[in-house]
Amino acid sequence: MSFCEIRDYKGVKIVYTDIKGTSGDEAIPTFEKVQGLVQKFPDKSVLSCVNATDARFNKNLLSTIKDTVKKNNPKSKATTVCGLNKLSTVILKSIISATGRQMRLFDTVEEGMEWLVEYEAKSAQKSMSA
């Protein structure tokens, strides 16, 4: 069963979306919830992590993901997507290039969450030195 929530990971708030093991349309309601959740945040403030381990994608889900990425782009600071197989990676890379989103792919959720924490720390250092 897929879900989304705000997680505190090492003191950093991350919008965590779990679509692990879902097939196509099962994950669509979760991405619709993500859209509503992210809209409550200030622009360029959202760090998010998507666990897509063993998820299967279909045309409807890919369309929903594209819509979600476009709608959430103004709010997004950085996103990680974890657990994709090779075909899904190719598809997601096309979405990344089409939207210009700061998005990284990782094998595990832990790697993705760690990268987001490091990214946030670097962003904070840049803000302090500016």
Side-chain angles (χ1 to χ4, degrees), residues 7 9 35-36 42 47 94 111:
R7 288 197 173 170
Y9 185 81
Q35 288 179 22
L47 299 171
S94 71
E111 289 171 331

Side-chain angles (χ1 to χ4, degrees), residues 54-120:
D54 297 325
R56 292 182 303 280
F57 298 85
N58 65 17
K59 189 171 147 182
N60 292 336
L61 178 56
L62 289 172
S63 177
T64 300
I65 290 171
K66 286 179 190 174
D67 290 344
T68 300
V69 169
K70 286 178 187 175
K71 186 172 183 178
N72 291 349
N73 231 4
K75 305 291 183 180
S76 177
K77 191 172 195 177
T79 300
T80 60
V81 181
C82 310
L84 293 175
N85 63 32
K86 289 183 182 191
L87 177 59
S88 298
T89 298
V90 170
I91 293 167
L92 188 65
K93 284 183 178 181
S94 71
I95 293 172
I96 293 169
S97 67
T99 61
R101 179 87 159 255
Q102 173 66 298
M103 203 178 287
R104 295 282 173 99
L105 308 178
F106 292 92
D107 291 332
T108 69
V109 170
E110 185 176 350
E111 289 171 331
M113 297 286 254
E114 287 292 331
W115 184 86
L116 288 169
V117 169
E118 290 171 20
Y119 184 86
E120 183 64 8

Side-chain angles (χ1 to χ4, degrees), residues 3-18 30 33-34 36-42 45-49 113:
F3 64 92
C4 65
E5 64 187 14
I6 298 172
R7 288 197 173 170
D8 187 304
Y9 185 81
K10 297 186 177 182
V12 175
K13 294 212 180 310
I14 297 172
V15 175
Y16 177 75
T17 305
D18 190 316
T30 299
K33 288 178 189 168
V34 168
L37 181 64
V38 166
Q39 293 309 308
K40 298 175 183 174
F41 285 83
S45 69
V46 176
L47 299 171
S48 61
C49 178
M113 297 286 254

Side-chain angles (χ1 to χ4, degrees), residues 15-34:
V15 175
Y16 177 75
T17 305
D18 190 316
I19 61 166
K20 179 176 55 184
T22 58
S23 61
D25 294 338
E26 289 176 318
I28 290 174
T30 299
F31 280 101
E32 291 168 348
K33 288 178 189 168
V34 168

